[in-house]
């Protein structure tokens, strides 16, 4: 019989032993049948339910075992931890991952925390392999989703290896992902993307280099794009060089003040501003730019010099 709280009231005919016996009499227990016993007030019944769950491993068993790591009884937590070790390949979904994260951070004992950490590492590695396989899919959208997953896992090596993907959107995703990961291991791939044959990819890579603070290898690549035939690339490069070392940027930006496209000239003026106070060659170039045919450029120059 049950008490008002949904648990089992212990009587002479309804004891933990009888409830365990009833559990073991189930021929093909479904997850709800076992979960009912995991709410039992008696720890020995909950342990028996976990053992049954381990033997049958129905769909959803992984998540249920993960949440059992938070059981109030130490012996029940031990059974849950051991079951998860035995069923290392059992599927653990998003709900179970939340339980593992909680157990890893706030578990009541060291063994429990170690189990949660080990399982999270296995899940991460499994996901990494799955996403890496996705990079070989024939559909660009699938490969892009794989890139997003690898970025979330911090898999900089796998992300960087996709810099040669034939699809523009994937290479853009790689550039954006390497900016987020901020790892030196991703710099060679970004160098490659900055000189990509596609202007959109180049712009994404230039933005990534800016986000990374324009380290010297990337700054030199960005500087080379000021000669690109697409004015959008030149304008983005001129904007990005503001973050580069002066010995790399100044000469190129001064030259960009004579670009045939006004947006590039405006970007060059803005990027030269940090050096307008202490670099005579910058002041000279800006004074000459006061004769620019575009009123907007002339206004920007006056603001910088002023």
């Amino acid at each position: 019989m049950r008490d008002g709280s949904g648990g089992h009231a212990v009587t002479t005919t309804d004891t933990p032993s009888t409830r365990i016996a009833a559990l073991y009499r189930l021929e093909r227990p479904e997850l709800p049948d076992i979960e009912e016993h995991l709410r039992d007030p008696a720890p020995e019944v909950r342990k028996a339910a976990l053992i049954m769950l381990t033997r049958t491993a129905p769909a959803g068993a992984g998540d249920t075992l993960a949440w059992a790591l938070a059981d109030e009884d130490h012996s029940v937590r031990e059974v849950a931890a051991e079951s998860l070790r035995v069923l290392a390949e059992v599927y653990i979904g998003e709900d179970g991952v939340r339980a593992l994260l909680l157990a890893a951070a706030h578990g009541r004992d060291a063994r429990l925390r170690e189990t949660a950490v080990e399982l999270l590492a296995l899940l991460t590695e499994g996901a990494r392999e799955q996403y890496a396989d996705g990079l070989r899919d024939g559909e660009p959208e699938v490969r892009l989703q794989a890139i997003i997953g690898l970025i979330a896992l911090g898999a900089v090596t796998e992300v960087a290896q996709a810099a040669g993907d034939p699809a523009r959107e994937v290479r853009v995703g790689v550039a954006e992902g390497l900016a987020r990961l901020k790892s030196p291991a991703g710099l060679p791939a970004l160098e490659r993307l900055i000189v990509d044959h596609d202007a959109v990819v180049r712009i994404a890579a230039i933005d990534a280099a800016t986000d990374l603070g324009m380290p010297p290898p990337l700054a030199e690549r960005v500087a080379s794009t000021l000669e690109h035939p697409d004015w959008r690339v030149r304008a983005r490069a001129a904007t990005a060089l503001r973050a580069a070392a002066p010995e790399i940027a100044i000469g190129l930006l001064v030259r960009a003040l004579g670009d045939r496209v006004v947006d590039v000239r405006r970007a060059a003026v803005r990027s030269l501003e940090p050096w307008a106070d202490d670099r005579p060659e910058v002041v000279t170039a800006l004074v000459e730019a006061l004769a620019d045919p575009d009123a907007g450029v002339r206004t920007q120059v006056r603001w910088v010099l002023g």
Side-chain angles (χ1 to χ4, degrees), residues 13 25 170 284 297:
T13 58
R25 282 196 297 270
V170 175
T284 299
V297 172

Side-chain angles (χ1 to χ4, degrees), residues 34-35 48 54 107 144 164 196 201 217 248 283 292 302:
I34 299 175
E35 285 182 327
T54 306
L144 180 57
D196 193 273
V201 176
I248 294 175
V283 175
D292 191 279
R302 285 193 293 269

Side-chain angles (χ1 to χ4, degrees), residues 155-301:
V156 63
T157 300
E158 288 83 352
V159 173
Q161 287 172 349
D165 192 278
R168 166 203 281 180
E169 59 267 37
V170 175
R171 300 198 304 279
V172 168
V174 170
E176 294 172 348
L178 293 175
R180 286 179 54 190
L181 292 172
K182 300 184 184 300
S183 170
L187 296 186
L190 271 180
E191 288 187 62
R192 175 180 180 178
L193 293 171
I194 289 171
V195 294
D196 193 273
H197 66 274
D198 189 290
V200 174
V201 176
R202 283 199 183 213
I203 289 171
I206 290 169
D207 290 345
T210 304
D211 291 342
L212 292 173
M214 202 64 68
L218 300 185
E220 293 170 4
R221 292 282 187 169
V222 171
S224 71
T225 64
L226 275 175
E227 304 296 329
H228 195 273
D230 191 314
W231 71 266
R232 297 171 300 170
V233 175
R234 300 198 305 276
R236 196 62 64 93
T239 298
L241 285 173
R242 180 186 180 100
E247 58 269 19
I248 294 175
I250 288 177
L252 293 167
L253 289 172
V254 167
R255 190 185 310 166
L257 291 174
D259 195 278
R260 65 184 180 277
V261 176
V262 65
D263 293 83
V264 179
R265 302 199 300 276
R266 290 179 180 181
V269 172
R270 290 192 296 270
S271 290
L272 285 168
E273 180 184 357
W275 301 296
D277 290 335
D278 55 4
R279 299 298 289 255
E281 68 272 33
V282 173
V283 175
T284 299
L286 289 173
V287 169
E288 292 175 357
L290 287 171
D292 191 279
D294 180 75
V297 172
R298 297 195 301 272
T299 299
Q300 281 187 316
V301 170

Side-chain angles (χ1 to χ4, degrees), residues 19-127:
R19 297 197 294 277
I20 292 172
L23 172 66
Y24 285 156
R25 282 196 297 270
L26 297 173
E27 292 186 3
R28 295 181 179 178
E30 299 292 336
L31 184 61
D33 301 321
I34 299 175
E35 285 182 327
E36 177 183 356
H37 290 81
L38 286 173
R39 294 189 291 271
D40 196 284
E44 56 267 42
V45 176
R46 301 200 298 275
K47 284 193 290 184
L50 289 175
I51 293 170
M52 176 67 78
L53 190 65
T54 306
R55 289 175 180 170
T56 58
D63 289 358
T64 302
L65 287 169
W67 280 110
L69 293 173
D71 194 277
E72 63 183 17
D73 185 85
H74 174 77
S75 63
V76 176
R77 297 196 301 272
E78 281 287 309
V79 172
E82 185 59 33
S83 295
L84 284 166
R85 290 176 186 272
V86 170
L87 299 176
E89 301 300 321
V90 70
Y91 175 77
I92 297 178
E94 185 176 349
D95 190 50
V97 170
R98 284 197 297 269
L100 291 177
L101 288 169
L102 287 171
H106 307 292
R108 302 190 188 196
D109 53 70
R111 178 176 170 79
L112 185 154
R113 293 192 297 272
E114 289 172 4
T115 298
V117 170
E118 289 173 8
L119 287 167
L120 287 169
L122 285 172
L123 286 170
T124 299
E125 185 59 32

